[in-house]
Amino acid sequence: LFKQFYQFVHLLSIVTCVIAQQSQSAGYSFIFSFKTDSYGEETSWNIKNEMGEVIKAGPLSEYQDSKSYTISDYLDDPNQCYTLTIYDSHGDGICCKKPWPGNYILTVEGEVVASCDCDKFKFEIEHSFGYLCPTEAPTNSPHPTPGPTASHTPTMSAFPTTDTWKPTVFDPANPFSYNRNGDDPKQRKFLEQLYKSANGDSWMTNTNWTDISLSYCWWHGVYCCETYKQLPTIISTTFTCTNEDKFNIVALELDNNRLKNGGIPTELGYLSHLQKLYLNNNDLIGTLPSSIGRLTKLTNAQFHFNKLEGTIPSHLGFLTDMDLLYLYNNDFIGKIPTELGRMTRMKVLGLSENSLTGSIPSEFGNLQMLEMIYLSDNKLTGAIPNEFQSLYYRLDGESKILFNNNLQEEDIYDTRQALIDLIGAERLMDKHRSSSYCDWTGVECCRKQIEPIDVCSNNPGGSVVELNWENLSIRGQIPSSIQVLSALKILQLGNNEITGVPLEITALPYLEKFDLSNNRLSSSLPSWNAPFVNLDTLILKNNFLTGTIPEEIKFSTLLQDLDLSNNDMTGNALEVISELSLSKLDISSNKFSGSIPTTVGQLSFITSMRMSYNQFNGTIPEYFGRCKQLRKVDLSNNLLEGEFPKGMFQLSNLEYFDLSQNKLFKGTVPYDFWDISYLRENKESLKTFETKVTYGSKEDFYDGIGMDDDMTRQSGASILNIHVGVFLTVTFCFLSVR
């Protein structure tokens, strides 16, 4: 018997455990998944048991905008009816709202028992679940009950829905008959909160704000369409009125009114018909509420000269009709929201004098109607984004202010990349990566010019006008992206290891000075596909250039200084360049050949001509005498021959003349020609004249050029005592008379 009793007890314990386990497993597992709408801080929820006790909750202001959340948990007692309540403090639910709606779904024991209901969810919505729950549709209280706890009660839970608002009829004969019975309680609540938080009793003007019986449409600075139509002459603001705007607030003008020591209430979002909002030049504190994003009719908002802080709400991006936004002279921090790029009607944007950080959003490139932008006196970094550049540089200087930041100010993305291509990314130092290229050594931009220059009047401030990168070990061919530097006036790349010049170099229309001396250029010069019309100086000496001088160089009519010395170039250089207005020419130490053309006399402005160590042949034309400004001539080490050029005696400014190491010359050189300082000190320069050249007296020379005794007597005394400059000038005058 005892054994049977023991077995019974043992069996009973087993059954009890099984029942307990089954009871536990019969408890409720639930998954509550939801996605917030564009105003996540307005969402909260709780789960209550039959006693009304909150056993699970998600408090107000905990959730981010447009973000998904999942709560997966277990409810111990399946024999209860639980209630899930979801709250929206603004009263418009989270479902089906544009542009970014939220949603939710409640799954119990793997079965969906509730989901979003666009029509019923306003301030709150309830869903019951459990074995013992009655079957009924979700409820939506027209007068919201408290949220999860007292501290989490939705902000506007005490307000009735919009449907309860019935405006009274306005009587034009008695404007003050428009009493508070016609006011929207939600809009009135915002104004009351603002008056309380911003010390309304101390405002400069607060007419009618304390008259609780009068409609807010008659309060100072508050404008409704109906009152605007009755009293348009006393209202400074203009706005558009529609039938639905009739009894709504469409403008709020409280600027320069001593609002202080208070913030802007979150109920701002209830002014959904507002078109203009002026709260500037006060002492408002706190944050700019994200509920401003609900004011989708707002076109003009001014908050400047306050003490607002925190981040700029991204919800401003919902205000796509906004054309003016002033937030300058506040204490905003953080990054500029990229969502501001959605405000495509924006014309004036003022964010100066805050503590904003980060870079300028590339989305600003969408603001195609922008006329003014002010970002100065912040802590912005980086370059002007490529997407925004064409729009930014379209604005004039006074309409775009960026100074006093850490920006790579006025940087142009393509220009920056072209400079990196040229110098080589591997040689780019860290300080270069984090700074504006306009601050790099050897780079001069339009914005750094103390005196304005012509090229900068038609180009943005980040345009590079001078690039002096000598002795930087730049290697290889100049990249074709050099053409991006279209405002370049001076390009000095001497003493590097550059091997080639692209055809695109001719796409630099403002280029005045181009120096590639002491490099490794080894091919022929590219043909000019477009003339360097402004080129003044071209220096390509000490390279390994071959081929001829491009004929297109003759279109560079302003070219003054041409130096191609110490290369391996061929052809007859003078036939190409004699049409130019050169001042200095150095083509020495090449393989140029041919005779010196008579057109050399057209170089009437040339002062220095160095043509030594080439293969020029034939005689020296008399037309050299037309180059009146010549001071230095070096024709040594060529194949020149014939009679000594008497045209040389006409060059009154000549200081240096070298004909050494040429073929045999003949003729007479007057003794006065030795007064040229170089010849006096270096007689070897005429060494190759040998015996056929006579160093004659002045009489011999005058006879040779046809001067008679009378002319000699008239001028001889002065000639003997004056330097060769005057002598040659007199000779030239005589020859001109002949």
Side-chain angles (χ1 to χ4, degrees):
L1 183 62
F2 177 79
K3 182 177 180 181
Q4 290 177 344
F5 177 76
Y6 174 78
Q7 291 175 341
F8 172 76
V9 172
H10 180 66
L11 180 61
L12 182 62
S13 65
I14 293 174
V15 171
T16 302
C17 289
V18 170
I19 292 174
Q21 290 176 358
Q22 289 178 346
S23 176
Q24 183 176 5
S25 64
Y28 261 31
S29 64
F30 76 93
I31 300 175
F32 174 41
S33 300
F34 66 95
K35 180 181 179 182
T36 57
D37 61 10
S38 305
Y39 297 88
E41 75 274 10
E42 297 173 355
T43 303
S44 61
W45 62 273
N46 64 36
I47 296 177
K48 298 178 182 178
N49 59 20
E50 291 179 341
M51 303 297 293
E53 299 170 334
V54 176
I55 57 176
K56 305 286 181 183
L60 190 69
S61 302
E62 181 175 285
Y63 301 111
Q64 299 179 23
D65 305 334
S66 301
K67 187 172 182 181
S68 297
Y69 297 89
T70 298
I71 295 89
S72 179
D73 211 335
Y74 182 83
L75 298 175
D76 294 334
D77 188 355
N79 298 316
Q80 284 205 44
C81 181
Y82 297 96
T83 302
L84 168 67
T85 306
I86 309 169
Y87 302 92
D88 184 85
S89 63
H90 189 76
D92 57 356
I94 67 171
C95 304
C96 310
K97 294 186 301 182
K98 302 297 182 182
W100 290 280
N103 57 62
Y104 68 85
I105 186 169
L106 174 63
T107 304
V108 179
E109 293 293 302
E111 181 181 353
V112 175
V113 299
S115 60
C116 252
D117 190 323
C118 299
D119 296 328
K120 294 183 178 181
F121 189 5
K122 302 300 180 184
F123 280 102
E124 64 182 61
I125 192 167
E126 294 181 352
H127 296 285
S128 297
F129 61 97
Y131 290 149
L132 302 181
C133 288
T135 303
E136 60 181 1
T139 62
N140 177 52
S141 172
H143 300 282
T145 57
T149 64
S151 61
H152 298 137
T153 302
T155 307
M156 301 302 296
S157 61
F159 284 175
T161 62
T162 308
D163 295 337
T164 65
W165 175 49
K166 302 295 182 183
T168 58
V169 178
F170 184 81
D171 181 6
N174 182 13
F176 288 92
S177 66
Y178 190 31
N179 57 41
R180 66 174 294 165
N181 293 333
D183 290 353
D184 180 352
K186 293 188 296 184
Q187 297 182 49
R188 189 180 183 98
K189 183 65 174 180
F190 164 74
L191 297 176
E192 291 173 348
Q193 293 280 16
L194 179 63
Y195 188 87
K196 180 179 179 180
S197 68
N199 198 16
D201 291 338
S202 299
W203 291 0
M204 183 179 296
T205 305
N206 58 8
T207 305
N208 294 332
W209 277 74
T210 57
D211 189 339
I212 61 175
S213 66
L214 194 63
S215 168
Y216 52 60
C217 292
W218 293 103
W219 297 0
H220 168 74
V222 181
Y223 303 131
C224 305
C225 277
E226 191 65 29
T227 52
Y228 172 66
K229 285 189 289 185
Q230 299 300 322
L231 301 171
T233 57
I234 65 171
I235 298 177
S236 60
T237 304
T238 57
F239 40 80
T240 303
C241 287
T242 64
N243 288 334
E244 69 171 335
D245 291 327
K246 188 174 182 180
F247 298 104
N248 288 297
I249 300 173
V250 290
L252 183 61
E253 290 189 7
L254 294 174
D255 51 304
N256 294 287
N257 203 38
R258 296 179 184 168
L259 280 68
K260 60 182 180 180
N261 300 328
I264 302 172
T266 58
E267 291 85 355
L268 174 66
Y270 287 130
L271 306 186
S272 57
H273 295 262
L274 199 66
Q275 297 177 32
K276 301 185 187 298
L277 176 58
Y278 302 148
L279 295 176
N280 52 287
N281 294 84
N282 288 293
D283 286 312
L284 292 170
I285 61 175
T287 61
L288 181 61
S290 61
S291 59
I292 191 175
R294 298 187 183 278
L295 312 183
T296 54
K297 295 185 178 181
L298 197 62
T299 61
N300 189 315
Q302 301 186 25
F303 299 94
H304 52 289
F305 288 106
N306 279 288
K307 298 177 182 177
L308 298 174
E309 56 189 13
T311 59
I312 296 175
S314 60
H315 302 75
L316 285 168
F318 298 143
L319 309 183
T320 54
D321 286 334
M322 181 83 76
D323 59 30
L324 185 148
L325 176 62
Y326 281 161
L327 298 176
Y328 61 86
N329 281 93
N330 279 285
D331 297 314
F332 289 112
I333 60 173
K335 296 182 178 180
I336 300 174
T338 59
E339 289 81 1
L340 297 191
R342 299 175 186 154
M343 306 167 80
T344 53
R345 295 178 183 268
M346 183 67 69
K347 294 181 179 179
V348 182
L349 178 60
L351 304 178
S352 299
E353 298 185 68
N354 285 285
S355 296
L356 299 173
T357 57
S359 58
I360 299 173
S362 60
E363 289 78 3
F364 275 14
N366 298 326
L367 308 181
Q368 291 299 311
M369 298 180 69
L370 197 66
E371 297 175 358
M372 298 180 182
I373 183 168
Y374 305 115
L375 301 175
S376 61
D377 296 280
N378 280 288
K379 299 177 182 178
L380 300 174
T381 58
I384 295 176
N386 200 35
E387 297 84 350
F388 183 50
Q389 286 176 13
S390 60
L391 172 61
Y392 177 78
Y393 292 123
R394 187 186 70 199
L395 304 177
D396 60 55
E398 295 183 357
S399 298
K400 51 181 182 182
I401 300 178
L402 301 182
F403 56 77
N404 293 340
N405 281 287
N406 293 318
L407 283 168
Q408 297 165 13
E409 187 176 319
E410 308 282 0
D411 275 12
I412 305 172
Y413 176 85
D414 291 339
T415 298
R416 186 180 184 88
Q417 192 58 49
L419 293 173
I420 293 174
D421 291 345
L422 178 58
I423 196 172
E426 68 279 2
R427 284 189 293 280
L428 204 64
M429 301 174 65
D430 288 340
K431 66 178 181 179
H432 294 143
R433 299 179 191 278
S434 60
S435 63
S436 169
Y437 58 72
C438 293
D439 296 323
W440 295 357
T441 301
V443 180
E444 291 292 329
C445 297
C446 279
R447 71 175 178 86
K448 296 174 66 176
Q449 301 300 310
I450 298 176
E451 295 291 335
I453 55 178
D454 54 352
V455 67
C456 292
S457 63
N458 298 318
N459 285 280
S463 300
V464 177
V465 292
E466 181 174 347
L467 184 59
N468 186 350
W469 277 358
E470 297 178 314
N471 297 293
L472 292 182
S473 300
I474 298 174
R475 299 182 179 88
Q477 176 155 316
I478 295 175
S480 60
S481 57
I482 192 74
Q483 64 184 313
V484 171
L485 309 181
S486 57
L488 205 59
K489 298 188 71 171
I490 298 176
L491 179 58
Q492 298 190 132
L493 300 175
N495 296 289
N496 284 291
E497 298 178 28
I498 296 171
T499 58
V501 181
L503 186 62
E504 289 81 0
I505 198 74
T506 60
L508 305 179
Y510 298 102
L511 195 62
E512 294 179 358
K513 182 176 182 180
F514 187 21
D515 185 351
L516 274 176
S517 58
N518 300 291
N519 276 281
R520 298 179 179 272
L521 302 176
S522 56
S523 59
S524 59
L525 289 175
S527 297
W528 271 232
N529 65 343
F532 285 122
V533 294
N534 290 295
L535 194 63
D536 175 86
T537 302
L538 179 61
I539 303 176
L540 302 175
K541 65 181 180 181
N542 298 325
N543 280 284
F544 304 94
L545 289 170
T546 59
T548 61
I549 299 175
E551 287 190 6
E552 293 84 355
I553 197 173
K554 64 185 179 183
F555 297 116
S556 300
T557 55
L558 299 180
L559 191 61
Q560 296 287 305
D561 189 350
L562 177 62
D563 191 342
L564 303 175
S565 60
N566 291 294
N567 282 285
D568 291 312
M569 301 186 72
T570 57
N572 193 331
L574 294 178
E575 289 182 349
V576 179
I577 62 178
S578 58
E579 296 183 31
L580 300 174
S581 300
L582 292 174
S583 173
K584 296 180 181 179
L585 173 65
D586 192 345
I587 55 174
S588 60
S589 299
N590 277 280
K591 296 178 181 178
F592 293 120
S593 59
S595 61
I596 299 176
T598 58
T599 53
V600 70
Q602 298 177 16
L603 300 174
S604 56
F605 299 100
I606 197 161
T607 61
S608 176
M609 181 181 292
R610 297 182 181 274
M611 300 166 53
S612 60
Y613 292 92
N614 280 287
Q615 299 173 20
F616 290 109
N617 55 40
T619 61
I620 302 176
E622 295 290 333
Y623 289 91
F624 257 106
R626 296 182 178 178
C627 304
K628 300 296 192 297
Q629 307 299 322
L630 261 178
R631 295 178 179 276
K632 298 178 180 179
V633 179
D634 188 351
L635 301 175
S636 63
N637 292 278
N638 279 285
L639 303 175
L640 298 171
E641 59 184 354
E643 190 169 338
F644 188 91
K646 294 181 180 179
M648 289 292 183
F649 308 145
Q650 303 176 41
L651 305 180
S652 59
N653 295 307
L654 201 60
E655 299 172 354
Y656 179 105
F657 186 53
D658 192 347
L659 285 175
S660 63
Q661 303 302 318
N662 276 281
K663 286 191 174 182
L664 200 63
F665 278 87
K666 61 181 179 179
T668 300
V669 179
Y671 82 103
D672 301 82
F673 200 66
W674 291 104
D675 278 358
I676 297 176
S677 59
Y678 176 79
L679 299 179
R680 185 170 60 246
E681 298 169 6
N682 301 276
K683 293 184 180 180
E684 289 296 312
S685 65
L686 295 178
K687 171 178 167 181
T688 56
F689 285 6
E690 296 182 355
T691 58
K692 299 216 175 186
V693 175
T694 303
Y695 305 108
S697 65
K698 64 180 183 300
E699 289 82 8
D700 294 332
F701 178 68
Y702 293 150
D703 289 341
I705 60 175
M707 291 181 69
D708 58 27
D709 291 339
D710 291 337
M711 296 174 71
T712 304
R713 284 191 294 271
Q714 292 172 7
S715 58
S718 60
I719 289 174
L720 291 176
N721 294 294
I722 298 177
H723 274 287
V724 66
V726 177
F727 170 77
L728 292 178
T729 300
V730 173
T731 303
F732 167 70
C733 292
F734 172 76
L735 292 174
S736 297
V737 172
R738 277 186 72 185

